[in-house]
Amino acid sequence: MSSLQEILCSEANRANVVQDATRLVDQEVDQKSGLTGLAVKTAYKVVCKLKPGLVAEVVDNLLERFVTQVEPFFAEWVTSGKRETFEGFLTARKNRVANALLSVTDERARAVQNTTLKKSYETLRPHGEKHVEAAVPGLAKMLARYV
């Protein structure tokens, strides 16, 4: 069986994965509500205005790193005999998946030189785990289409 990296980052799937992931980010941001949601939406709009297409670019540039973080979950799912859907498997482990994904963005944020982008990330990061965890079911559903 192919690895998740081979499946998602293949020439045949990569562009669709990036497009699907970008759409997922847009949808997740759009669904936010309350004061925190307002902060997330505002920061997202600022980032998108500063550099249109940045989200897709970041997803594309970091895809291998994100997939590397999800790969152990995929391997565990395969080893367990795929007794449940990959979507269900990831969703049941959404806290672990969220923290694995955030390790990539945390590393990236430390290296960013643009102070506006860095400040936006640092402002939102304390709420990041909650937001990424909430996005895991959507991510799991998206990934399940490829495996």
Side-chain angles (χ1 to χ4, degrees):
M1 171 164 242
S2 298
S3 70
L4 192 60
Q5 191 85 233
E6 292 168 333
I7 295 167
L8 298 177
C9 298
S10 70
E11 191 173 318
N13 289 330
R14 185 182 190 98
N16 289 331
V17 170
V18 169
Q19 183 178 21
D20 289 347
T22 302
R23 191 177 311 115
L24 177 64
V25 172
D26 290 342
Q27 290 168 352
E28 287 296 321
V29 169
D30 192 50
Q31 292 174 7
K32 299 301 174 200
S33 62
L35 291 176
T36 302
L38 181 60
V40 169
K41 287 178 180 182
T42 301
Y44 190 72
K45 284 180 185 178
V46 167
V47 168
C48 290
K49 279 192 179 207
L50 280 173
K51 190 169 182 185
L54 178 66
V55 176
E57 181 182 321
V58 169
V59 169
D60 190 42
N61 288 337
L62 297 178
L63 184 61
E64 283 81 7
R65 292 181 200 166
F66 284 128
V67 174
T68 296
Q69 294 303 315
V70 180
E71 192 79 54
F73 297 99
F74 181 72
E76 185 180 343
W77 175 67
V78 170
T79 302
S80 73
K82 302 179 185 178
R83 287 180 289 225
E84 60 186 310
T85 65
F86 190 51
E87 180 180 348
F89 187 86
L90 288 180
T91 300
R93 292 153 182 81
K94 63 184 176 183
N95 181 265
R96 288 176 41 214
V97 173
N99 281 299
L101 294 172
L102 282 167
S103 72
V104 173
T105 56
D106 289 347
E107 179 184 323
R108 176 74 173 144
R110 284 190 291 274
V112 167
Q113 299 300 314
N114 184 307
T115 56
T116 304
L117 292 176
K118 187 176 259 189
K119 189 169 195 151
S120 293
Y121 185 81
E122 290 169 356
T123 299
L124 297 174
R125 180 53 178 96
H127 305 284
E129 186 175 330
K130 177 180 87 170
H131 292 296
V132 175
E133 193 173 303
V136 168
L139 174 67
K141 184 176 186 174
M142 182 202 89
L143 294 176
R145 290 194 303 263
Y146 294 93
V147 296

